[in-house]
Amino acid sequence: MQPLERSLSISQSIVIQLTESILSGDLPGGSELTQGELAEAFGVSRMPVRDAISRLEKRGLMERLPNRHSRVSQITGEHVLQIFAMIALCQTQCLEDLAQDPAAWRDFTAAAPAQITAESMLRFHRTLVQSVSCAYLRALLNDMVECFVRVGLRYPDEACREGFRRYLQALPDRDFAECRRALKAHNLAMGSCLVNNLLHSNE
């Protein structure tokens, strides 16, 4: 396990690492884990591990067993693509809400990257999170970005970059219909890359 990110809560950092391991295939479906093993691996108490496992269960990434062990769920391609489709919908709604505040919208669009790289795409996803005024939506979107988008952007392909490029082009005109289409294409491309990686890791 990698060192935990101290800028996040211990539980959130564990959730992120386990999500990355599951979606990348490093923790294959069917793997059994115990709170004690994970606590020792991360160098923490069992309490944040218990919380992290509960959150992963709600996402369908892990399931609790009768013997107090937890098992990594068998992740399907459909599951992954549904997650990224939902991310696109949430992001579009956040954009439409953000556009109601001219100053916030100006600051957000001014942060659009000049070059499209994995790092700049992730940074702009995070910029949208920080621009959301509703605390609940901000927390929800942050969770999606940190646990799924940043994993998906490990393997960006041309379809992923092209969707993001279309998204940036639609922003100045507040063309939310095109933003919705572009974000869906961008996110589903991320999901497809993850699915392909999972299939290869399970061969």
Short mmCIF file of all heavy atoms in Angstrom, two decimals, residues 167-203:
data_model
loop_
_atom_site.label_atom_id
_atom_site.label_comp_id
_atom_site.label_asym_id
_atom_site.label_seq_id
_atom_site.Cartn_x
_atom_site.Cartn_y
_atom_site.Cartn_z
N TYR A 167 -15.65 19.68 -24.70
CA TYR A 167 -16.19 20.28 -23.47
C TYR A 167 -15.63 21.68 -23.27
O TYR A 167 -16.38 22.65 -23.02
CB TYR A 167 -15.84 19.34 -22.32
CG TYR A 167 -15.92 19.89 -20.92
CD1 TYR A 167 -17.04 20.55 -20.43
CD2 TYR A 167 -14.86 19.68 -20.04
CE1 TYR A 167 -17.10 21.01 -19.12
CE2 TYR A 167 -14.91 20.12 -18.73
CZ TYR A 167 -16.02 20.79 -18.28
OH TYR A 167 -16.08 21.24 -16.99
N LEU A 168 -14.32 21.83 -23.42
CA LEU A 168 -13.70 23.15 -23.24
C LEU A 168 -14.20 24.13 -24.30
O LEU A 168 -14.39 25.32 -24.02
CB LEU A 168 -12.18 23.03 -23.32
CG LEU A 168 -11.48 22.26 -22.20
CD1 LEU A 168 -9.96 22.28 -22.41
CD2 LEU A 168 -11.83 22.82 -20.84
N GLN A 169 -14.40 23.66 -25.52
CA GLN A 169 -14.86 24.53 -26.60
C GLN A 169 -16.28 25.01 -26.37
O GLN A 169 -16.66 26.11 -26.78
CB GLN A 169 -14.76 23.79 -27.94
CG GLN A 169 -13.32 23.53 -28.39
CD GLN A 169 -13.25 22.62 -29.60
OE1 GLN A 169 -14.21 21.93 -29.95
NE2 GLN A 169 -12.09 22.60 -30.25
N ALA A 170 -17.11 24.19 -25.70
CA ALA A 170 -18.51 24.55 -25.47
C ALA A 170 -18.69 25.49 -24.28
O ALA A 170 -19.71 26.18 -24.19
CB ALA A 170 -19.34 23.27 -25.25
N LEU A 171 -17.72 25.53 -23.37
CA LEU A 171 -17.87 26.32 -22.16
C LEU A 171 -18.07 27.82 -22.40
O LEU A 171 -18.97 28.43 -21.81
CB LEU A 171 -16.66 26.11 -21.23
CG LEU A 171 -16.64 24.81 -20.43
CD1 LEU A 171 -15.33 24.71 -19.64
CD2 LEU A 171 -17.83 24.72 -19.50
N PRO A 172 -17.25 28.48 -23.26
CA PRO A 172 -17.41 29.94 -23.42
C PRO A 172 -18.80 30.37 -23.87
O PRO A 172 -19.27 31.44 -23.49
CB PRO A 172 -16.34 30.29 -24.47
CG PRO A 172 -15.33 29.20 -24.36
CD PRO A 172 -16.12 27.97 -24.04
N ASP A 173 -19.47 29.52 -24.66
CA ASP A 173 -20.81 29.84 -25.15
C ASP A 173 -21.91 29.33 -24.23
O ASP A 173 -23.10 29.49 -24.54
CB ASP A 173 -21.01 29.24 -26.55
CG ASP A 173 -20.05 29.82 -27.56
OD1 ASP A 173 -19.69 31.01 -27.42
OD2 ASP A 173 -19.64 29.08 -28.48
N ARG A 174 -21.53 28.73 -23.12
CA ARG A 174 -22.50 28.13 -22.20
C ARG A 174 -23.45 27.18 -22.94
O ARG A 174 -24.66 27.14 -22.67
CB ARG A 174 -23.30 29.20 -21.45
CG ARG A 174 -22.42 30.18 -20.69
CD ARG A 174 -23.23 31.06 -19.79
NE ARG A 174 -22.40 32.12 -19.23
CZ ARG A 174 -22.75 32.89 -18.21
NH1 ARG A 174 -23.94 32.73 -17.64
NH2 ARG A 174 -21.95 33.82 -17.76
N ASP A 175 -22.87 26.43 -23.84
CA ASP A 175 -23.63 25.46 -24.62
C ASP A 175 -23.73 24.17 -23.78
O ASP A 175 -22.93 23.24 -23.96
CB ASP A 175 -22.93 25.20 -25.95
CG ASP A 175 -23.73 24.30 -26.87
OD1 ASP A 175 -24.71 23.68 -26.40
OD2 ASP A 175 -23.36 24.19 -28.06
N PHE A 176 -24.70 24.12 -22.89
CA PHE A 176 -24.77 23.02 -21.95
C PHE A 176 -25.20 21.72 -22.62
O PHE A 176 -24.86 20.64 -22.12
CB PHE A 176 -25.69 23.37 -20.78
CG PHE A 176 -25.18 24.53 -19.97
CD1 PHE A 176 -25.91 25.69 -19.87
CD2 PHE A 176 -23.96 24.45 -19.34
CE1 PHE A 176 -25.43 26.77 -19.14
CE2 PHE A 176 -23.47 25.52 -18.60
CZ PHE A 176 -24.21 26.68 -18.50
N ALA A 177 -25.94 21.81 -23.72
CA ALA A 177 -26.29 20.59 -24.45
C ALA A 177 -25.02 19.93 -24.99
O ALA A 177 -24.84 18.71 -24.88
CB ALA A 177 -27.25 20.90 -25.59
N GLU A 178 -24.13 20.74 -25.55
CA GLU A 178 -22.87 20.20 -26.05
C GLU A 178 -21.96 19.79 -24.90
O GLU A 178 -21.25 18.77 -24.99
CB GLU A 178 -22.17 21.23 -26.94
CG GLU A 178 -20.78 20.81 -27.43
CD GLU A 178 -20.78 19.52 -28.25
OE1 GLU A 178 -21.85 19.07 -28.70
OE2 GLU A 178 -19.67 18.96 -28.44
N CYS A 179 -21.98 20.55 -23.81
CA CYS A 179 -21.20 20.16 -22.63
C CYS A 179 -21.64 18.78 -22.14
O CYS A 179 -20.80 17.94 -21.79
CB CYS A 179 -21.38 21.18 -21.50
SG CYS A 179 -20.42 22.70 -21.68
N ARG A 180 -22.94 18.56 -22.13
CA ARG A 180 -23.47 17.27 -21.67
C ARG A 180 -22.98 16.14 -22.58
O ARG A 180 -22.54 15.09 -22.10
CB ARG A 180 -25.00 17.31 -21.65
CG ARG A 180 -25.64 16.05 -21.07
CD ARG A 180 -27.15 16.17 -20.99
NE ARG A 180 -27.55 17.19 -20.01
CZ ARG A 180 -28.05 18.38 -20.33
NH1 ARG A 180 -28.22 18.72 -21.61
NH2 ARG A 180 -28.39 19.24 -19.40
N ARG A 181 -23.07 16.38 -23.89
CA ARG A 181 -22.61 15.35 -24.83
C ARG A 181 -21.11 15.11 -24.70
O ARG A 181 -20.64 13.96 -24.71
CB ARG A 181 -22.97 15.75 -26.27
CG ARG A 181 -24.46 15.69 -26.58
CD ARG A 181 -24.72 15.90 -28.05
NE ARG A 181 -24.42 17.27 -28.46
CZ ARG A 181 -25.31 18.26 -28.49
NH1 ARG A 181 -26.57 18.03 -28.12
NH2 ARG A 181 -24.98 19.47 -28.90
N ALA A 182 -20.36 16.20 -24.59
CA ALA A 182 -18.90 16.09 -24.53
C ALA A 182 -18.45 15.44 -23.22
O ALA A 182 -17.55 14.59 -23.22
CB ALA A 182 -18.26 17.48 -24.67
N LEU A 183 -19.07 15.83 -22.12
CA LEU A 183 -18.71 15.23 -20.84
C LEU A 183 -19.06 13.75 -20.80
O LEU A 183 -18.32 12.93 -20.22
CB LEU A 183 -19.40 15.97 -19.69
CG LEU A 183 -18.77 17.30 -19.29
CD1 LEU A 183 -19.65 18.03 -18.30
CD2 LEU A 183 -17.37 17.07 -18.69
N LYS A 184 -20.19 13.41 -21.41
CA LYS A 184 -20.56 11.99 -21.47
C LYS A 184 -19.53 11.21 -22.28
O LYS A 184 -19.07 10.13 -21.85
CB LYS A 184 -21.95 11.83 -22.10
CG LYS A 184 -22.41 10.38 -22.11
CD LYS A 184 -23.84 10.26 -22.65
CE LYS A 184 -24.31 8.80 -22.62
NZ LYS A 184 -25.70 8.66 -23.12
N ALA A 185 -19.12 11.75 -23.42
CA ALA A 185 -18.11 11.08 -24.25
C ALA A 185 -16.78 10.97 -23.51
O ALA A 185 -16.12 9.92 -23.54
CB ALA A 185 -17.93 11.85 -25.56
N HIS A 186 -16.39 12.05 -22.86
CA HIS A 186 -15.14 12.09 -22.11
C HIS A 186 -15.15 11.06 -20.97
O HIS A 186 -14.21 10.28 -20.81
CB HIS A 186 -14.94 13.52 -21.56
CG HIS A 186 -13.85 13.66 -20.56
ND1 HIS A 186 -12.53 13.43 -20.85
CD2 HIS A 186 -13.89 14.04 -19.24
CE1 HIS A 186 -11.79 13.66 -19.76
NE2 HIS A 186 -12.60 14.02 -18.78
N ASN A 187 -16.21 11.06 -20.18
CA ASN A 187 -16.27 10.16 -19.04
C ASN A 187 -16.43 8.70 -19.46
O ASN A 187 -15.82 7.81 -18.85
CB ASN A 187 -17.42 10.57 -18.12
CG ASN A 187 -17.03 11.71 -17.19
OD1 ASN A 187 -16.33 11.52 -16.22
ND2 ASN A 187 -17.50 12.92 -17.51
N LEU A 188 -17.24 8.44 -20.47
CA LEU A 188 -17.40 7.06 -20.91
C LEU A 188 -16.11 6.53 -21.53
O LEU A 188 -15.82 5.33 -21.42
CB LEU A 188 -18.56 6.94 -21.91
CG LEU A 188 -19.95 7.11 -21.30
CD1 LEU A 188 -21.03 6.94 -22.36
CD2 LEU A 188 -20.18 6.12 -20.16
N ALA A 189 -15.33 7.40 -22.15
CA ALA A 189 -14.03 6.98 -22.67
C ALA A 189 -13.10 6.60 -21.52
O ALA A 189 -12.37 5.61 -21.60
CB ALA A 189 -13.41 8.08 -23.52
N MET A 190 -13.15 7.38 -20.43
CA MET A 190 -12.37 7.03 -19.25
C MET A 190 -12.79 5.67 -18.73
O MET A 190 -11.97 4.82 -18.39
CB MET A 190 -12.54 8.08 -18.14
CG MET A 190 -11.66 9.29 -18.27
SD MET A 190 -11.66 10.24 -16.74
CE MET A 190 -13.26 11.06 -16.83
N GLY A 191 -14.12 5.48 -18.62
CA GLY A 191 -14.64 4.21 -18.14
C GLY A 191 -14.24 3.05 -19.05
O GLY A 191 -13.87 1.97 -18.57
N SER A 192 -14.30 3.26 -20.35
CA SER A 192 -13.94 2.21 -21.30
C SER A 192 -12.47 1.82 -21.16
O SER A 192 -12.12 0.63 -21.25
CB SER A 192 -14.22 2.67 -22.73
OG SER A 192 -15.60 2.86 -22.93
N CYS A 193 -11.61 2.81 -20.93
CA CYS A 193 -10.19 2.52 -20.74
C CYS A 193 -9.99 1.67 -19.49
O CYS A 193 -9.18 0.73 -19.48
CB CYS A 193 -9.39 3.81 -20.62
SG CYS A 193 -9.23 4.74 -22.16
N LEU A 194 -10.73 2.00 -18.43
CA LEU A 194 -10.64 1.20 -17.21
C LEU A 194 -11.14 -0.22 -17.43
O LEU A 194 -10.55 -1.18 -16.94
CB LEU A 194 -11.46 1.86 -16.09
CG LEU A 194 -10.76 2.92 -15.25
CD1 LEU A 194 -11.74 3.49 -14.23
CD2 LEU A 194 -9.56 2.33 -14.53
N VAL A 195 -12.24 -0.34 -18.16
CA VAL A 195 -12.80 -1.67 -18.45
C VAL A 195 -11.78 -2.50 -19.22
O VAL A 195 -11.54 -3.68 -18.90
CB VAL A 195 -14.11 -1.55 -19.25
CG1 VAL A 195 -14.56 -2.93 -19.74
CG2 VAL A 195 -15.20 -0.93 -18.37
N ASN A 196 -11.17 -1.91 -20.24
CA ASN A 196 -10.16 -2.63 -21.03
C ASN A 196 -9.00 -3.07 -20.15
O ASN A 196 -8.47 -4.18 -20.28
CB ASN A 196 -9.66 -1.77 -22.18
CG ASN A 196 -10.72 -1.55 -23.24
OD1 ASN A 196 -11.63 -2.36 -23.39
ND2 ASN A 196 -10.62 -0.45 -23.98
N ASN A 197 -8.58 -2.16 -19.24
CA ASN A 197 -7.48 -2.49 -18.35
C ASN A 197 -7.86 -3.64 -17.41
O ASN A 197 -7.07 -4.54 -17.14
CB ASN A 197 -7.09 -1.27 -17.53
CG ASN A 197 -5.87 -1.52 -16.65
OD1 ASN A 197 -4.77 -1.67 -17.16
ND2 ASN A 197 -6.08 -1.58 -15.36
N LEU A 198 -9.11 -3.61 -16.92
CA LEU A 198 -9.58 -4.68 -16.04
C LEU A 198 -9.60 -6.02 -16.77
O LEU A 198 -9.23 -7.05 -16.21
CB LEU A 198 -10.98 -4.35 -15.52
CG LEU A 198 -11.09 -3.50 -14.27
CD1 LEU A 198 -12.55 -3.12 -14.01
CD2 LEU A 198 -10.51 -4.22 -13.06
N LEU A 199 -10.06 -6.01 -18.02
CA LEU A 199 -10.13 -7.25 -18.79
C LEU A 199 -8.74 -7.84 -18.98
O LEU A 199 -8.52 -9.05 -18.85
CB LEU A 199 -10.78 -6.98 -20.15
CG LEU A 199 -12.29 -6.66 -20.12
CD1 LEU A 199 -12.77 -6.29 -21.51
CD2 LEU A 199 -13.09 -7.83 -19.57
N HIS A 200 -7.76 -6.96 -19.28
CA HIS A 200 -6.39 -7.44 -19.49
C HIS A 200 -5.80 -7.97 -18.20
O HIS A 200 -5.07 -8.95 -18.19
CB HIS A 200 -5.51 -6.34 -20.06
CG HIS A 200 -5.83 -5.98 -21.48
ND1 HIS A 200 -6.00 -6.92 -22.47
CD2 HIS A 200 -6.03 -4.77 -22.08
CE1 HIS A 200 -6.27 -6.32 -23.62
NE2 HIS A 200 -6.31 -5.01 -23.41
N SER A 201 -6.11 -7.29 -17.08
CA SER A 201 -5.54 -7.71 -15.79
C SER A 201 -6.12 -9.04 -15.32
O SER A 201 -5.50 -9.75 -14.53
CB SER A 201 -5.78 -6.64 -14.73
OG SER A 201 -7.15 -6.53 -14.42
N ASN A 202 -7.32 -9.38 -15.82
CA ASN A 202 -7.97 -10.64 -15.41
C ASN A 202 -7.67 -11.80 -16.34
O ASN A 202 -8.14 -12.92 -16.11
CB ASN A 202 -9.50 -10.43 -15.33
CG ASN A 202 -9.88 -9.51 -14.19
OD1 ASN A 202 -9.21 -9.45 -13.17
ND2 ASN A 202 -10.99 -8.79 -14.36
N GLU A 203 -6.93 -11.52 -17.40
CA GLU A 203 -6.60 -12.60 -18.36
C GLU A 203 -5.59 -13.58 -17.75
O GLU A 203 -4.72 -13.19 -17.00
CB GLU A 203 -6.04 -11.99 -19.66
CG GLU A 203 -7.11 -11.27 -20.48
CD GLU A 203 -6.53 -10.63 -21.74
OE1 GLU A 203 -5.29 -10.61 -21.88
OE2 GLU A 203 -7.32 -10.18 -22.56
#
